[in-house]
Amino acid sequence: MSKSLAVEQFELGVCYYPEQWPESLWADDYRRMRELGFTVVRMGEFAWNFFEPEEGQFTFDVFDRAIDLAHEHGLKVILGTPTATPPAWLTHKHPEVLNVTLEGVQHQHGLRRHYNYSSPVYRDYCAKITEAMARHYANHPGVAGWQIDNEINCESNVFYSPADHAAFRSWLRERYGTLEELNRAWGTVFWNQSYSDWEQVHLPRPTPADSPNPHQALDEKRFISDNAISFLRVQVEIVRKLAPNQPITTNGLFGHLDSHAMTDELLDFFSYDSYPNFATLWNDADRDDPLLDRKWSNNLAKVRSISPNFCVMEQQSGPGGWVNRMAQPSPKPGQMRLWTYQSVAHGADMLLYFRWRTASFGTEIYWHGINDYHNQPNRRVAEAQTIGREWGRIGKAVAGSRYAADVAIVRDYDNEWDGELDAWHGPLTGESEYGWSKSLQLNHIPYDYLYMRGNTGLDELARYQALIYPHPAIMSEETAELLKKYVAGGGKLIFGARTGYKDTRGHCRMMPFPGPVAELCGVTVEDFTLIPGGGAAPNIRWVGGGEERGAAAVKFNDILRPMDESVETLAVYDGDYYAGKPALTRASYGGGEAYYYGAAFTREVADALVRRLGLKPATAGWAELPSEVEIAIREKGNRRFAFLLNYSGRPVSARLLRETDDLLAGERLAAGDLTIEPYGVKVLSLD
């Protein structure tokens, strides 16, 4: 069961750093926060020196005054444990707590997140500072909850200190028991890599051609995730014991971390940091009609799979950038409000902007907050005031409602981590998830992400009309059986190339592809080829023609062979030596259908499958929307709320097919044309 944020009223707030500002500013800052409708602030996550200026000497006077004053102004405080930035006195005395690169170079004090999770010394210091803070603030009426550390696995998600190598060995001993089992799992007879003593075993280290043992590399990622969760557990157990009435979360969605397991085992709910303007740096501008900041809805869908209702601990409010990297333009007028509602539409019930005021010193002097350095009114403050006013009106009604979707894209951590090294399946997933997310968004079909895990049950799958599992190269027999039950019960399941050819160790199966789901799909892979980077991919040709146009079969091609005549070939390859061979098939299985596509999914292929699967837009029967507008539906009891988000910089026209209520404007809308302003938002009641 997923853990969710539970609030009766939508909470709006901001990240605040009292240690960075003269105390004479605090009262005015808090007053203006309340005027904007803010009810919560986060603080403390980078302030270890203020709580423990010297080893073992704990002081709380600065934050006592800051928290007391916030409480007097009616602000709740989420307090961060400050372990993301260890103090210089600690790293100087104990350099073994610092992280080390793959090449063996030790990070030095500075920046943040320069420590490792494995050092017993660092864990001990983290436990002490957490215990001191939890004891002091457990009963403070102004402290509403805790954020443990900050952005786990940000900056670096690999660790190679001596303590990490030692911890990895211990983790492997527990997982495999004996060296014989380890050697078997890692296939160490290949290239004479077998180990005869545990001291010979390490995390991946530099190798010729930068190519580690792939099974060792997969276990490395599993270990890093388990180790990060173990590191957090030290702090969480202390806070749970000393402050049992204050909820616990942590923030960020980063690599090499099973955020689902972390939340299930440790947290009350998950928090995300949403920065849609990163699209200006790492975007899809080379594609036709790029998603850009709209792509963050895809990220938020992944967050929602962890906590259906969650907190956005850091919501972008201004242009971002460090002194030397990540330089971004300013959000255009309206975009801050648009991005806020983007997060809320996808399940956020608490949202804090980053940050209250732009830092005037340090690395992030160009990571702008709501207020500029000068503290004078600006358009971001005005937008925040509008949002606060709107959520004061409708926040109670919407809080606790859940995002509604009949379709899910399926993921799992093993394939995500294995695909980082494996160029034969890893690059396919990003391409296919982009193609499907774009198709579903532009066709106004809300979708979830569903992560396949060891405890995933049939009931979780059966909620969906269709599941898209693009490229599960690693697939256990247990997962295959679960998927068969889903399809037999009436579900529709879509696979892509490279499905099922590896076991959970990452070994290739000695059986025809797609391995344990060959019977379900009714096909075997007769032949296959990788499409080299920059190489021309063949098109597919739809059998029977009709309205479907040809589309490129990109990245990889599985050439399929149906097992019998009951398996329908929907499309064939239209080029290369396998022209005319099946590229897309459909097989009946029990009460449902299994589709297999032998390439990575583009938007064009996904669009065609949307039509063939009979997937309907969420607006069916009550509205018609242009492609520039995203639709999201949140439901609570018998109430349904429709969020319409215009990502374009121009006004667009939608059409309402019946009367409805505009909750933000507080007016009844007649059927007919509805104009949505540039970067505009509508929240409609569908009662």
Side-chain angles (χ1 to χ4, degrees):
M1 179 65 67
S2 299
K3 293 185 176 181
S4 278
L5 172 65
V7 294
E8 295 183 359
Q9 168 73 38
F10 182 87
E11 301 272 6
L12 193 65
V14 70
C15 302
Y16 190 60
Y17 300 93
E19 74 274 21
Q20 296 180 12
W21 305 111
E23 194 164 345
S24 59
L25 293 179
W26 295 355
D28 184 61
D29 286 341
Y30 292 153
R31 176 188 60 79
R32 290 189 294 123
M33 290 177 194
R34 293 295 290 136
E35 289 175 353
L36 295 180
F38 294 172
T39 57
V40 61
V41 294
R42 181 193 67 172
M43 63 176 66
E45 75 273 18
F46 298 129
W48 193 328
N49 267 332
F50 284 83
F51 296 111
E52 190 180 9
E54 297 182 36
E55 182 177 352
Q57 296 185 11
F58 299 103
T59 61
F60 302 98
D61 54 326
V62 172
F63 278 87
D64 280 353
R65 296 195 300 275
I67 295 171
D68 288 346
L69 191 60
H71 181 58
E72 289 175 17
H73 281 79
L75 292 165
K76 304 172 186 177
V77 173
I78 296 175
L79 191 57
T81 63
T83 52
T85 50
W89 59 256
L90 195 165
T91 57
H92 177 73
K93 182 178 180 180
H94 297 286
E96 68 270 24
V97 309
L98 296 167
N99 195 8
V100 174
T101 68
L102 176 69
E103 296 76 19
V105 177
Q106 188 178 64
H107 291 303
Q108 299 303 311
H109 187 86
L111 196 71
R112 60 180 180 177
R113 308 208 58 80
H114 41 286
Y115 55 90
N116 69 76
Y117 302 138
S118 301
S119 166
V121 171
Y122 193 58
R123 290 191 178 207
D124 183 56
Y125 277 106
C126 291
K128 289 176 180 176
I129 186 65
T130 301
E131 180 176 357
M133 292 176 65
R135 285 190 185 279
H136 189 79
Y137 291 111
N139 299 309
H140 195 296
V143 175
W146 294 81
Q147 175 190 293
I148 305 299
D149 203 270
N150 185 76
E151 296 187 333
I152 297 297
N153 283 9
C154 180
E155 311 303 349
S156 177
N157 58 24
V158 289
F159 304 85
Y160 302 106
S161 73
D164 292 310
H165 290 288
F168 186 49
R169 291 186 201 104
S170 297
W171 182 87
L172 292 169
R173 281 178 183 266
E174 184 174 348
R175 183 176 180 86
Y176 295 109
T178 66
L179 280 171
E180 289 74 19
E181 285 300 316
L182 173 68
N183 283 321
R184 188 174 294 111
W186 286 7
T188 56
V189 294
F190 184 80
W191 282 349
N192 200 41
Q193 296 176 26
S194 300
Y195 301 103
S196 58
D197 189 286
W198 283 104
E199 291 303 310
Q200 299 165 6
V201 181
H202 294 82
L203 289 156
R205 294 184 292 180
T207 62
D210 191 26
S211 186
N213 180 316
H215 317 297
Q216 175 194 26
L218 175 57
D219 269 350
E220 173 197 21
K221 311 309 186 298
R222 291 165 169 162
F223 159 73
I224 290 170
S225 178
D226 285 353
N227 202 39
I229 293 171
S230 173
F231 169 76
L232 290 176
R233 181 175 283 108
V234 173
Q235 300 180 50
V236 168
E237 289 181 348
I238 292 169
V239 176
R240 284 264 184 253
K241 179 181 178 181
L242 298 177
N245 298 319
Q246 295 169 338
I248 298 172
T249 188
T250 194
N251 61 320
L253 191 65
F254 296 97
H256 304 167
L257 179 61
D258 184 336
S259 294
H260 294 74
M262 175 184 68
T263 303
D264 288 351
E265 295 175 24
L266 302 180
L267 308 179
D268 293 294
F269 58 89
F270 186 73
S271 296
Y272 180 59
D273 297 344
S274 189
Y275 289 94
N277 220 21
F278 272 126
T280 61
L281 302 179
W282 305 307
N283 61 31
D284 49 359
D286 58 328
R287 302 174 185 265
D288 293 334
D289 190 21
L291 286 173
L292 297 175
D293 56 333
R294 187 169 177 172
K295 186 172 181 286
W296 254 247
S297 293
N298 194 55
N299 297 356
L300 290 159
K302 294 175 184 176
V303 174
R304 200 173 57 248
S305 74
I306 305 167
S307 285
N309 296 83
F310 54 89
C311 170
V312 171
M313 197 64 76
E314 299 180 14
Q315 176 71 58
Q316 185 161 16
S317 62
W322 289 5
V323 171
N324 61 330
R325 58 192 287 255
M326 297 188 287
Q328 303 170 32
S330 293
K332 295 176 173 60
Q335 280 191 314
M336 174 183 158
R337 178 171 174 264
L338 171 68
W339 296 338
T340 298
Y341 281 95
Q342 179 183 36
S343 291
V344 174
H346 283 273
D349 273 354
M350 179 184 293
L351 183 144
L352 286 74
Y353 292 106
F354 187 84
R355 47 187 281 168
W356 174 247
R357 182 169 42 246
T358 310
S360 60
F361 47 78
T363 300
E364 291 187 342
I365 58 174
Y366 303 124
W367 208 291
H368 294 70
I370 294 174
N371 289 275
D372 290 307
Y373 314 109
H374 51 62
N375 229 28
Q376 299 300 306
N378 64 32
R379 62 180 172 88
R380 299 192 300 278
V381 173
E383 280 190 40
Q385 189 167 35
T386 297
I387 296 162
R389 183 171 59 251
E390 290 171 343
W391 281 100
R393 182 186 308 129
I394 70 170
K396 189 169 185 178
V398 174
S401 60
R402 294 285 181 91
Y403 188 94
D406 295 325
V407 179
I409 299 173
V410 184
R411 286 177 64 93
D412 66 86
Y413 288 104
D414 274 352
N415 278 293
E416 177 183 327
W417 297 336
D418 188 62
E420 290 183 24
L421 182 67
D422 191 331
W424 288 72
H425 79 83
L428 307 184
T429 298
E431 183 73 24
S432 288
E433 288 186 357
Y434 183 88
W436 271 106
S437 66
K438 188 170 186 178
S439 173
L440 293 169
Q441 281 203 35
L442 298 184
N443 282 294
H444 303 120
I445 300 171
Y447 64 94
D448 285 338
Y449 272 92
L450 172 67
Y451 277 70
M452 293 297 296
R453 305 170 60 211
N455 61 356
T456 300
L458 181 60
D459 58 331
E460 295 177 70
L461 278 61
R463 294 201 303 263
Y464 299 101
Q465 176 186 349
L467 296 177
I468 301 118
Y469 203 174
H471 307 287
I474 292 177
M475 181 179 291
S476 68
E477 282 73 13
E478 293 78 10
T479 294
E481 289 304 312
L482 182 62
L483 293 172
K484 289 177 185 177
K485 291 177 182 177
Y486 164 75
V487 177
K492 298 178 181 180
L493 179 61
I494 301 97
F495 290 118
R498 307 303 283 163
T499 290
Y501 72 95
K502 287 185 177 183
D503 64 21
T504 56
R505 302 168 299 177
H507 292 204
C508 293
R509 288 186 168 94
M510 296 179 67
M511 62 189 300
F513 305 156
V517 292
E519 176 196 4
L520 171 61
C521 298
V523 298
T524 58
V525 176
E526 175 183 299
D527 198 357
F528 57 85
T529 182
L530 184 145
I531 307 297
N539 284 341
I540 60 170
R541 174 170 50 83
W542 297 92
V543 175
E547 64 180 64
E548 307 293 2
R549 293 177 295 174
V554 299
K555 295 290 186 182
F556 204 98
N557 289 170
D558 280 344
I559 297 97
L560 308 180
R561 177 186 295 157
M563 290 181 174
D564 57 53
E565 293 181 355
S566 69
V567 179
E568 182 182 4
T569 296
L570 300 179
V572 297
Y573 292 105
D574 196 20
D576 218 314
Y577 64 89
Y578 41 95
K581 293 282 189 176
L584 173 64
T585 59
R586 176 174 60 194
S588 296
Y589 189 89
E593 301 173 334
Y595 294 74
Y596 194 103
Y597 179 53
F601 293 93
T602 61
R603 179 197 167 186
E604 291 74 20
V605 174
D607 279 347
L609 281 168
V610 163
R611 291 188 287 271
R612 289 173 181 266
L613 290 165
L615 302 179
K616 301 298 183 184
T619 55
W622 64 270
E624 296 170 354
L625 300 180
S627 61
E628 294 91 340
V629 174
E630 179 183 1
I631 175 73
I633 306 292
R634 287 184 60 163
E635 298 179 338
K636 181 168 65 174
N638 60 359
R639 295 205 66 181
R640 300 173 71 229
F641 306 95
F643 290 75
L644 310 183
L645 311 174
N646 177 16
Y647 289 90
S648 75
R650 60 181 180 82
V652 298
S653 181
R655 183 166 181 80
L656 296 178
L657 304 182
R658 60 179 174 83
E659 288 186 347
T660 188
D661 288 324
D662 183 336
L663 297 181
L664 298 183
E667 61 184 18
R668 187 75 172 170
L669 299 176
D673 290 342
L674 174 67
T675 299
I676 307 175
E677 67 271 16
Y679 308 116
V681 175
K682 296 289 183 182
V683 180
L684 308 180
S685 175
L686 300 183
D687 298 349

